[in-house]
Amino acid sequence: MTQYSKRMVIVHWLTLALLIAAWYFGDSLAEATDESKATLAGYIVHIAVGGTVLLLTLAQLFFRRKDGTPPLLYDKPIYQVVAKNVHYLLYTLLFLLPVSGITIILNSKVGAALLAGDANLLPKEHGFKDVFSHEVHEQLVNVLIVLAVVHILGAIKHQFIMKDGLMSRMSLRKKD
Ligand code: HEM
Ligand code: HEM
């Protein structure tokens, strides 16, 4: 095995696209809340995109178990350990981030507003002040960004400095 399976490649890139969308919608939502202008649609879109990230991550972990992963590419042992642990941490965050989002819904007025279909019930400025999971959600986003940057720098190093074809392992093009 020299490459990731097709379905793992598709889920990897789809997760990246949805993660950027969830980040954008989450930020817009936080801004709208600060101006007391958040809408139910804004929440529904963010929840749908973030929830899909959770489903894709669970699918990816299942595919990983079934299809396996290509062996680590030759690198200094320390970088191999870093890469492997960054992957595990990324999976952990891709799971915990949406779960913390669900916890915000359950522990704030958002759940009641969505059930009643009434945007007036949504939290206004400082409305999440006492919701601990909101703070957790916000901080997990920051940790995820830092880890994703480390991960991307690793991919760039392999592609342009080591030139060892690592990127083609996460590509749909068949390696010869
Ligand atoms: C992996 C996917 C997700 C990402 C990248 C993400 C990202 C974000 C970001 C960047 C914010 C703004 C934080 C701030 O500055 O205050 C936010 C807020 C929020 N997210 Fe998520 N989120 C994700 C998944 C979810 C899910 C699945 C739910 C719920 C089921 C959710 C519920 C919320 C709620 C309720 C807020 C508060 C909005 C506000 O402050 O008005 N998120 N999210
Ligand atoms: C431009 C952005 C990205 C690039 C170029 C990229 C590239 C890659 C490459 C080349 C691999 C295969 C590594 C190997 O063969 O050992 C990989 C694996 C992985 N990527 Fe990314 N990636 C990006 C963004 C992301 C993001 C944002 C996440 C998650 C938040 C992510 C999560 C993962 C995970 C968890 C694996 C490990 C797969 C496994 O072995 O189970 N990637 N990535």
Side-chain angles (χ1 to χ4, degrees), residues 17-138:
L18 288 179
L19 208 50
I20 294 170
W23 182 19
Y24 172 78
F25 290 128
D27 253 355
S28 313
L29 203 50
E31 235 171 76
T33 299
D34 282 347
E35 294 166 8
S36 302
K37 280 189 197 153
T39 60
L40 292 174
Y43 276 94
I44 290 167
V45 171
H46 180 64
I47 293 169
V49 178
T52 310
V53 169
L54 176 61
L55 294 180
L56 284 178
T57 302
L58 296 177
Q60 186 74 315
L61 290 170
F62 174 75
F63 295 157
R64 189 179 206 274
R65 226 182 133 86
K66 288 269 165 209
D67 305 348
T69 57
L72 289 172
L73 268 189
Y74 177 72
D75 203 341
K76 286 198 185 110
I78 177 75
Y79 289 128
Q80 291 195 352
V81 172
V82 171
K84 219 166 130 181
N85 284 298
V86 167
H87 289 166
Y88 291 149
L89 282 172
L90 284 170
Y91 281 127
T92 308
L93 282 161
L94 288 173
F95 178 76
L96 289 181
L97 184 55
V99 168
S100 66
I102 294 168
T103 316
I104 308 177
I105 306 291
L106 298 176
N107 290 326
S108 69
K109 289 188 192 147
V110 177
L114 287 172
L115 282 177
D118 184 354
N120 290 320
L121 299 178
L122 285 173
K124 308 278 186 293
E125 197 185 358
H126 307 307
F128 290 106
K129 197 166 44 81
D130 299 322
V131 183
F132 179 62
S133 44
H134 185 267
E135 181 63 24
V136 172
H137 196 63
E138 211 177 325

Side-chain angles (χ1 to χ4, degrees), residues 146-159:
V146 172
L147 278 173
V149 168
V150 173
H151 176 67
I152 293 167
L153 287 177
I156 291 174
K157 175 182 153 231
H158 278 277
Q159 181 70 12

